[in-house]
Amino acid sequence: MIKLGDVVKRIRSKNAGPFWITVDIFCGDLKVFNLVRNTITTSMVLQLTKVPAKALKRFELEGLMVVKFSFHRQAIQGSRGDRDMHGAQIANLFLELDVKVLV
Amino acid sequence: MSTRVLVPSGVLGLGFDSQALKRGLELRPDIICIDGGSTDSGPFYLGTGSSKYAHEIYKSEWRELMIARERGGIPLVLSSCGTCGTNSMVDWMYELTKEIAKSLKQNIKVALLYSDQSIEYVTEAFNARKLSELNPAPKLNNEQLSKFSNIVALAGAEQITEALNTGADIILAGRATDTAIIAALPLKNGDSSGGAWHGAKIAECGAFCSTVPNSGVILVDFDSTGFTVEPMALEARCTPDSVSAHMLYENVDPFILYEPGGYLDVTNATYTALSDRKVRVEGAKWVPSADYTVKLESAYVSGYQTITMVIVRDARYVKNIKVWVAKLTKFLIKKIEINTDLFLNDYSLDFHLIGINSALGELETEVIYPVEVGVQLVVTASNQKIATELSKLINPYILHFPLTDTEPLPTFAFPYSPAQIDRGAFYEFGLNHVMSLKEPMDCFQLKLHELSYD
């Protein structure tokens, strides 16, 4: 199994205020960027984050070779259902995505 | 005219490189700006009006910056004092400033900018439809508003400029946007507004926009067409990639940043290396809005909590831990119903399985059984007495509950005596709204003090 974390340079996630989490996928080069752009579909990310479609934004930044996803926190930061105050551990779900189709 | 802004670090309390600060000061900046807060550590700090970092850390860093300010003969601005930026934290920083000024024999003018909002003021604005929801916003009504223990408005460049106009040597501001203190002086000096806000966003986390994020100190030169950014630590470099990537950081949209009075659009920004450590940025656009709005933040007590931790090492129980928790929960709900007057909506039991899925909860995709599982039970109730009492009621069962009825009672590992830990009040964030104002200073107060200790 090949994971997304094995092909890209870096993935980080972080709160963007108490109501959003944002995930930055730094692809490292244009070839990987194009692969990620075409392979990591929005519906894959919806499934991974369990957010409704209208609560997810997708950005593709060719200059930085970054694919970015921002989505509503399903539990507001620090609320009873929240397990991760800074939202930084959710990046691991993306790092561990099975992407054998990529290579 | 151009404006040179020195940013010692992303937040007061996080530390900075003293040599880099010295180097920055030698380049004769016009102002030193540092942020003191964030919602990043959760609602407790705003809920209680308290700070995250140790008092001694604030004291030593603030002292160093107060010495730098005097050497440079320039203003020093701190915003979002004490993590949450409440009035109580502005006053707390003022007391610390007085104490340090006295020991350094400094004569200084200190401006205090207050951001607290009373429940009455915000309720009136809410009823007059002057509050607008941001996406997503918690539900709001008069009853919910009355629960907030603290409400702050985020000051923008306009309120910081008011404070600068007093001629103060030190400005201690309550809650403000991360960028406002950095953008204020360039805007006041007539530098490019797109450049002022963009440069402020790039520098708001200090050296995060460089190759050595924890070196802290950044110098930004603002002018009529954009800005130039350079880290002050010798080992750090700013590159077009390190600088432009910072627009992604903690930002929902990497091109747009909303501020009081408008928004920044960096879609057409260009990033050019001037040397191997200095980057020139141009092309960002500031789009003023018709309505002047400030963002509000609030927190409230949503319950009281007690935690009980037990460690399960028995391999059979580890393998069946989710079944065990489901069975135990069902049993406990029944037990509480029989032995107390409490109903299901009076309390909640949250089991966090450390080693299984405690960080990601339902989103966890990995299924690997560890050697042991930490079972953390969080009891939330309407007061501390109930939360503690329920935890004591649960104690023997979380210790001894069997997987099946026909086996000997197990005994798991309690690491502490008593097994439960009271967490006290539990806070939640209550607002993601903006409030429209006629004038920027409508809901902020400015106070000026002169200190003389020589």
Side-chain angles (χ1 to χ4, degrees), chain B residues 193-208:
Chain B
S193 51
W197 285 109
H198 192 189
K201 170 61 193 169
I202 294 304
E204 55 106 359
C205 283
F208 269 46

Side-chain angles (χ1 to χ4, degrees), chain A residues 16-21 71-73 76-77, chain B residues 135-138 429-432:
Chain A
F19 302 91
W20 289 79
I21 287 178
F71 48 90
H72 291 182
R73 262 179 168 278
I76 297 170
Q77 183 202 4
Chain B
N135 178 27
F429 285 119
L431 286 170
N432 193 23

Side-chain angles (χ1 to χ4, degrees), chain A residues 3 12 14-20 22 24 26 48-50 57 59 61 64 66 68 70 72 76-80 83-86 89-90 93 96, chain B residues 39-42 135-136 138 244-245 248-255 348 350-352 357-360 362-363 365-366 380 426-429 431-432:
Chain A
K3 293 177 173 182
R12 71 176 175 198
K14 190 77 196 330
N15 285 339
F19 302 91
W20 289 79
T22 191
D24 300 328
F26 292 88
L48 204 61
T49 56
K50 297 194 165 71
K57 292 185 183 203
F59 302 94
L61 297 96
L64 278 172
V66 166
K68 180 181 178 78
S70 298
H72 291 182
I76 297 170
Q77 183 202 4
S79 69
R80 233 194 71 208
R83 305 294 191 87
D84 179 6
M85 201 59 62
H86 294 80
Q89 288 301 307
I90 208 164
L93 288 180
E96 290 163 8
Chain B
T39 54
D40 226 26
S41 299
N135 178 27
S244 58
L248 302 169
Y249 189 66
E250 296 180 334
N251 239 9
V252 169
D253 186 317
F255 302 109
S348 66
D350 293 304
F351 285 93
H352 299 174
N357 64 359
S358 68
L360 298 178
E362 287 177 8
L363 299 184
T365 50
E366 287 283 347
T380 309
F426 167 66
Y427 291 85
E428 295 198 40
F429 285 119
L431 286 170
N432 193 23

